[in-house]
Amino acid sequence: MKFDTVIIGGGLSGLVCGIRLLQHGHRCAIVSSGQSALHFSSGSFDLLNALPDGEVVTNPQKSVKDLIRMSPCHPYAKLGGDKFCELAGESEAFLRGIGLSFQGDSMGNHYRITPMGTLKPTWLSTSDFAVSKSERELPWRKVSIFNIAGFLDFYPQFIADEFAKIGTKSDIHLFSLPGLDHLRRNPSELRSTNIARILDKESNKDELIRILGKAAPDSDAIIFPACFGLENANMLPALGRATGKPIYLIPTLPPSIIGIHTQQYMHDYFIHSGGVYMLGDTVKRADVEDNRVTKVYSYNHGNIPFSANNIVLATGSYFSQGLIATRSRVYEPVFDLDVSFNSDRKDWYNRNMFDSQNYQEFGVKTNETFNALRKGKVVENLYVSGAVLEGFNPVKEGSGAGVSILSALFIADKILSK
Ligand SMILES: Cc1cc2nc3c(=O)[nH]c(=O)nc-3n(C[C@H](O)[C@H](O)[C@H](O)COP(=O)(O)OP(=O)(O)OC[C@H]3O[C@@H](n4cnc5c(N)ncnc54)[C@H](O)[C@@H]3O)c2cc1C
């Protein structure tokens, strides 16, 4: 099977790279094992929330120079400050261009609201999300918070308590629907994905309008767990129009409806643009000759190889098995690429779980143009994109989606310029 480019891994990074290549007429395939980090994400994309020394970042474009000075191996350092700013703007245009609707930009982080009601900085949030420009106040004097009775992945009272600390009052409403009673018989079934399938049904619209009508007359907005929009994007706007109040979503604990929607939307966009997406297949090995990947083999295709002018490795980090950690080493399982990690295992982690963890920064080594290194040599047609890269800490810095999107666009442009 011959393609211009084969991408290994179909999460955020692989999909952004693939769609960009298809937009320019490339023949492109994605081989992807299964679910990606998006399925478990907040639904917001982080670009840069903090510097390695802990300083909070309010404007990623302004602070990237400090990051590059402190972290010379960081993927953003490989891009350089000017390219980072250019690609951040392009990322926003790219996502909106394919029809994903976001609020926020790289000139100033905004605050998303966690399922516990605390505020966290971020770059882009889906338009339906409840967000604030400031950490110290919310845009509403009073809100009405709704939750499904018995749903344990969303915490209205914690949210109300956190809101009260910064001057916003709340009234809380628990409700049920006949379809939800069926799920409630088994608590493990009452999860965001199953709830969304019921709330998205047009047949429940009138009952939902009646329930949301119980919001306090003096509340400025309705707050709802992010359990809409898996199969029906029209329900939330329709409810907003009918109740006469804006309805904003707050993410629940995983699985993430917004993340799953984003993954599915980009997957469909890739297919409709002419891409070949092989879901449920895993690349297991490759032939590398004269520092070029010549063939790639997957479990489902056995001895029938994929060949392409360019290969993009976008297999994610430990979570997606793009990196494997044993007791003595961290390795990359498909090509056995060079991986940076501390030789003494005691340096991998910090006993305080909430401190920065070194293992987060381990990853595949690359040159300045994100070509993989193997036995110290550059593999000319193999590019490395997203969470599998070395040199950044997505949790401490809040840079996960930013690295995945910006590296993907950079690599796609590099391939297209060949
Ligand atoms: C649980 C979790 C939550 C996160 N939440 C956020 C968030 O809210 N905001 C944020 O900005 N960042 C978040 N991140 C950071 C996240 O890493 C990035 O945002 C981004 O989604 C990573 O995308 P990726 O495509 O690089 O990797 P992934 O999303 O991990 O995708 C890699 C894909 O490659 C596939 N794969 C792996 N090996 C193979 C193989 N050999 N053959 C074929 N396919 C393979 C996997 O099945 C997977 O689908 C989160 C990360 C995790 C782990």
Side-chain angles (χ1 to χ4, degrees):
M1 277 172 288
K2 281 201 93 168
F3 297 91
D4 294 328
T5 300
V6 167
I7 299 172
I8 310 171
L12 180 62
S13 207
L15 280 164
V16 167
C17 188
I19 292 171
R20 177 72 143 212
L21 289 170
L22 291 173
Q23 285 172 338
H24 292 266
H26 257 230
R27 216 170 108 67
C28 188
I30 292 180
V31 185
S32 195
S33 306
Q35 292 183 334
S36 74
L38 279 174
H39 287 76
F40 304 90
S41 71
S42 63
S44 291
F45 290 163
D46 301 336
L47 181 63
L48 183 61
N49 299 339
L51 294 175
D53 65 3
E55 191 185 323
V56 174
V57 168
T58 52
N59 180 334
Q61 292 215 20
K62 269 197 181 153
S63 296
V64 72
K65 286 193 190 74
D66 295 327
L67 174 86
I68 291 171
R69 187 171 39 78
M70 292 179 206
S71 284
C73 282
H74 199 286
Y76 294 162
K78 287 177 180 161
L79 295 174
D82 291 343
K83 193 71 186 170
F84 167 89
C85 295
E86 185 190 317
L87 284 173
E90 269 184 37
S91 305
E92 293 157 15
F94 171 87
L95 294 168
R96 293 189 177 112
I98 65 169
L100 286 167
S101 165
F102 283 102
Q103 46 188 328
D105 65 66
S106 56
M107 300 290 279
N109 283 330
H110 63 274
Y111 291 85
R112 66 178 173 90
I113 299 163
T114 69
M116 308 295 283
T118 53
L119 270 65
K120 284 252 157 62
T122 194
W123 170 35
L124 298 174
S125 295
T126 189
S127 317
D128 301 327
F129 266 18
V131 299
S132 177
K133 284 209 164 72
S134 161
E135 198 179 6
R136 284 179 291 277
E137 61 178 358
L138 293 166
W140 320 284
R141 276 173 302 111
K142 182 172 177 183
V143 293
S144 297
I145 307 174
F146 284 79
N147 193 26
I148 298 101
F151 179 45
L152 301 179
D153 293 339
F154 186 76
Y155 307 99
Q157 190 58 57
F158 287 158
I159 294 169
D161 290 350
E162 291 297 327
F163 280 16
K165 287 182 198 164
I166 47 175
T168 293
K169 292 186 190 142
S170 313
D171 52 285
I172 295 175
H173 305 261
L174 298 181
F175 72 93
S176 193
L177 286 172
L180 294 170
D181 289 337
H182 169 71
L183 295 179
R184 199 171 292 105
R185 278 190 215 126
N186 178 350
S188 65
E189 294 290 317
L190 200 60
R191 307 301 298 272
S192 55
T193 36
N194 291 336
I195 293 171
R197 286 192 186 98
I198 289 169
L199 299 188
D200 277 350
K201 279 190 183 151
E202 287 291 331
S203 55
N204 284 323
K205 187 157 79 186
D206 290 344
E207 182 60 6
L208 279 167
I209 292 170
R210 193 190 62 76
I211 289 165
L212 295 177
K214 292 182 182 162
D218 60 342
S219 66
D220 302 321
I222 289 172
I223 300 288
F224 208 87
C227 291
F228 276 113
L230 197 58
E231 286 158 2
N232 180 1
N234 301 325
M235 187 60 111
L236 201 60
L239 293 177
R241 281 192 300 274
T243 53
K245 286 187 197 284
I247 304 178
Y248 297 110
L249 303 178
I250 290 184
T252 67
L253 294 188
S256 160
I257 298 296
I258 304 295
I260 294 171
H261 171 77
T262 305
Q263 169 81 34
Q264 195 57 44
Y265 184 91
M266 291 179 82
H267 164 273
D268 294 351
Y269 197 98
F270 178 80
I271 303 271
H272 292 142
S273 307
V276 176
Y277 193 106
M278 295 178 207
L279 180 62
D281 197 3
T282 299
V283 173
K284 56 179 178 176
R285 67 183 176 88
D287 294 341
V288 182
E289 289 163 23
D290 297 330
N291 299 317
R292 288 186 68 81
V293 180
T294 51
K295 288 177 183 127
V296 165
Y297 299 87
S298 75
Y299 280 101
N300 288 358
H301 291 84
N303 289 331
I304 305 167
F306 296 88
S307 58
N309 297 332
N310 307 286
I311 308 287
V312 179
L313 184 76
T315 45
S317 190
Y318 311 95
F319 183 77
S320 294
Q321 301 190 348
L323 295 175
I324 307 284
T326 67
R327 287 207 66 77
S328 57
R329 70 178 186 125
V330 177
Y331 68 94
E332 185 286 308
V334 178
F335 300 93
D336 198 16
L337 298 174
D338 296 351
V339 170
S340 60
F341 65 94
N342 295 352
S343 53
D344 187 346
R345 198 173 198 278
K346 285 202 286 300
D347 295 335
W348 289 15
Y349 55 88
N350 191 318
R351 284 203 169 273
N352 181 348
M353 202 177 87
F354 295 104
D355 274 357
S356 176
Q357 302 292 341
N358 286 339
Y359 70 84
Q360 292 272 349
E361 295 192 27
F362 302 165
V364 171
K365 294 184 189 179
T366 72
N367 68 1
E368 299 294 303
T369 49
F370 297 101
N371 289 86
L373 298 185
R374 191 167 179 264
K375 299 187 177 85
K377 294 207 170 114
V378 171
V379 187
E380 287 160 20
N381 65 341
L382 176 59
Y383 297 89
V384 185
S385 188
V388 67
L389 283 165
E390 69 166 339
F392 74 109
N393 188 327
V395 177
K396 189 172 176 231
E397 293 160 3
S399 59
V403 167
S404 290
I405 298 172
L406 270 59
S407 59
L409 288 181
F410 179 88
I411 289 166
D413 290 348
K414 185 86 200 146
I415 289 171
L416 292 166
S417 72
K418 272 184 171 179

